[in-house]
Amino acid sequence: MKILLYPLATEKAINMVERDNVITFIVDIRANKQEIKNEFEKQFGVKVESVNTKIDPKNTKKAYIKLSKEAKASDIALKLKLV
């Protein structure tokens, strides 16, 4: 199962990068918060503070991944070409 499908690049998601140190990803609907956290830390080599998830009406699962203070979401966003 591929956990992290793709990053979200909406205006709201980009604002959260700068304001809240949060990266938003579309994830596999079966993935739990711990799996999402572990996969993100492994792929990007940063510490994750918390993960919040939301399933929208189209049955798509979004993960709001808040990074620890040492990590900058803007650096990850640049790697992912979101900004």
Side-chain angles (χ1 to χ4, degrees):
M1 164 173 74
K2 187 170 187 222
I3 295 172
L4 301 175
L5 301 179
Y6 56 91
L8 207 56
T10 61
E11 188 176 344
K12 180 183 176 190
I14 300 302
N15 286 339
M16 289 176 80
V17 166
E18 299 299 326
R19 189 183 63 226
D20 305 320
N21 207 30
V22 169
I23 297 270
T24 307
F25 259 84
I26 300 298
V27 296
D28 188 291
I29 195 126
R30 299 163 295 182
N32 64 39
K33 292 178 182 182
Q34 191 62 50
E35 290 171 328
I36 294 165
K37 177 182 180 190
N38 293 342
E39 183 64 21
F40 193 88
E41 287 180 342
K42 191 171 83 177
Q43 274 192 25
F44 296 101
V46 295
K47 190 94 177 87
V48 172
E49 192 174 293
S50 65
V51 175
N52 288 316
T53 58
K54 175 182 159 191
I55 299 176
D56 70 12
K58 296 179 199 150
N59 216 25
T60 306
K61 189 172 195 175
K62 292 180 187 172
Y64 300 96
I65 303 165
K66 183 166 179 58
L67 304 182
S68 67
K69 292 184 181 14
E70 305 86 55
K72 285 196 167 41
S74 54
D75 292 345
I76 306 263
L78 277 174
K79 275 187 199 171
L80 294 167
K81 297 179 174 60
L82 295 177
V83 288

